[in-house]
Amino acid sequence: MIVGREDGVGDEESRSFMEMVEEVMTMIGVSTASDFFPAVARVVDWGGVRKRMRVVDIKKEEMLQRLINEKRRRRKEKGKTDQKSMLEALLDLQEEEPENYSDQIIKAMIVALFFGGTDTSSVTIEWAMSLLLNHPGVLHKARTEIDSLVGKDHRLIQEQDLPNLPYLQAIINETLRLYPAAPLLAPHRSHEECVVGGSYRVPNGTILLVNAWAIHRDPELWTEPEVFRPERFVEGGEGTVGGGIKMLPFGMGRRRCPGEVMAMRLVGLALGMMIQCFEWERDGEGLIDMEETGGLILHKADPLRVMYRPRQSMVDLLSQIETF
Ligand code: HEM
């Protein structure tokens, strides 16, 4: 979507891009002694994090500049297309206002979307599938909802169906409550001193991490907070009524995630299709291990492994899909 490429899914370039996203996300979340002794950190590179960052940064710059150059060359050779990717729209703006849309700015925008939008969405899908496999009753209920809206065999679930699938939406919300992809949101720094809640003085330059994970599991805010129960988010449930903010997987205020709507659609569509098209089983006797890793993005400690096969009723439809 960002660079307008439909080819290359799973090829070496896209794989190495994903590896880079994961590497950066891991390093952003690493807590090192430098965070606590910033003066010493200017001379000592604890854990070699700075060096690793520099290596991955050079790789990222090269990759993005290659994408921009390639797009520019294609537009020169073949002319502009009607259906623009985000990169093409930015290159148009660059022609009109070169001082505001330098290659550097375009690369920064692409990076923000890639880093904000890829890992967060994919871990949410992985957590949701893990929860569903541990709660087959919920999986069954979601499938029944999809079947009764979309039918059993003649078409795939589409984006327009999502508003009419409240239980599927509730599953995603409940997943984001228990496993918010960014458990500490994004670090913010105060640019002037302020007082919060009447008694907490926050000096200028303080780095603030909001523990959304803890708020989402606070027993004063949620009944049986550790239990996976999508019904909380069905109309009238405790997740949909009452004042105050107790659900903030996308942050809040002016820096709230700008990709929220897209994320809910993307996760809804992916999860909905997985439920609609396949039978899923756990890989082994026991429950899926739900242990989490630390870091800025909440990954599963043990990546999900599952057994799946197409649902009998979907085989014909699936076999007609070219890319499948
Ligand atoms: C389930 C998926 C997602 C989750 C849980 C999520 C969560 C978040 C959170 C917690 C923040 C920080 C908010 C704050 O500072 O308080 C954020 C920021 C951001 N997100 Fe998302 N996000 C998701 C998907 C996406 C997608 C799909 C995109 C774009 C394609 C995106 C783009 C961004 C950007 C650009 C920022 C930085 C905004 C800023 O600093 O002003 N996110 N996201």
Side-chain angles (χ1 to χ4, degrees), residues 2 112-114 116-118 120-121 124 176 180-182 185-188 248-252 254-260 262-264 266-267:
I2 294 174
L113 294 188
F114 267 129
T118 47
T120 43
S121 305
T124 304
L176 286 167
L185 305 184
H188 290 262
L248 60 161
F250 295 100
M252 55 188 288
R254 279 190 289 178
R255 298 298 294 273
R256 188 186 175 107
C257 174
E260 176 175 352
M262 183 180 165
M264 288 303 281
L266 194 133
V267 173

Side-chain angles (χ1 to χ4, degrees), residues 201-242:
R201 188 181 72 85
V202 181
N204 177 16
T206 305
I207 293 181
L208 172 78
L209 294 168
V210 176
N211 194 341
W213 185 96
I215 296 171
H216 291 179
R217 291 177 184 237
D218 185 342
E220 289 189 16
L221 300 174
W222 302 94
T223 44
E224 296 187 281
E226 302 296 326
V227 177
F228 174 65
R229 194 181 294 136
E231 283 71 13
R232 298 177 205 273
F233 290 98
V234 173
E235 210 183 335
E238 62 171 339
T240 67
V241 293

Side-chain angles (χ1 to χ4, degrees), residues 21-173:
V21 172
E22 273 170 33
E23 168 89 341
V24 171
M25 289 322 238
T26 310
M27 278 187 285
I28 291 176
V30 165
S31 185
T32 71
S34 328
D35 297 337
F36 305 100
F37 305 105
V40 189
R42 279 187 212 113
V43 253
V44 185
D45 181 14
W46 266 300
V49 172
R50 212 181 306 149
K51 189 169 164 218
R52 274 173 66 196
M53 272 302 225
R54 226 175 278 133
V55 171
V56 83
D57 192 48
I58 292 169
K59 203 164 131 191
K60 179 196 77 194
E61 280 291 311
E62 283 173 0
M63 214 180 245
L64 292 176
Q65 194 60 55
R66 206 166 47 240
L67 281 173
I68 293 178
N69 294 346
E70 192 185 302
K71 186 61 75 187
R72 224 184 246 131
R73 186 179 50 78
R74 271 206 212 163
R75 278 156 58 100
K76 247 193 203 142
E77 282 171 15
K78 299 193 177 159
K80 295 179 184 176
T81 47
D82 284 346
Q83 220 185 0
K84 284 184 207 154
S85 64
M86 187 185 109
L87 176 55
E88 283 170 289
L90 289 169
L91 288 175
D92 281 351
L93 287 166
Q94 189 179 56
E95 284 170 16
E96 289 162 26
E97 301 170 48
E99 65 291 357
N100 291 331
Y101 293 91
S102 62
D103 278 8
Q104 204 56 34
I105 292 284
I106 293 180
K107 280 185 276 184
M109 285 185 175
I110 295 178
V111 164
L113 294 188
F114 267 129
F115 289 91
T118 47
D119 216 14
T120 43
S121 305
S122 64
V123 295
T124 304
I125 296 169
E126 190 180 7
W127 283 117
M129 272 317 287
S130 308
L131 286 161
L132 291 177
L133 282 154
N134 281 350
H135 298 84
V138 176
L139 177 59
H140 179 74
K141 203 167 158 183
R143 179 170 290 155
T144 308
E145 182 186 61
I146 294 173
D147 284 351
S148 57
L149 181 80
V150 182
K152 273 193 173 169
D153 51 10
H154 64 286
R155 73 167 177 91
L156 291 179
I157 172 176
Q158 291 163 359
E159 209 176 309
Q160 301 88 287
D161 296 318
L162 295 174
N164 300 318
L165 295 167
Y167 197 64
L168 180 66
Q169 297 293 332
I171 291 172
I172 300 168
N173 277 321

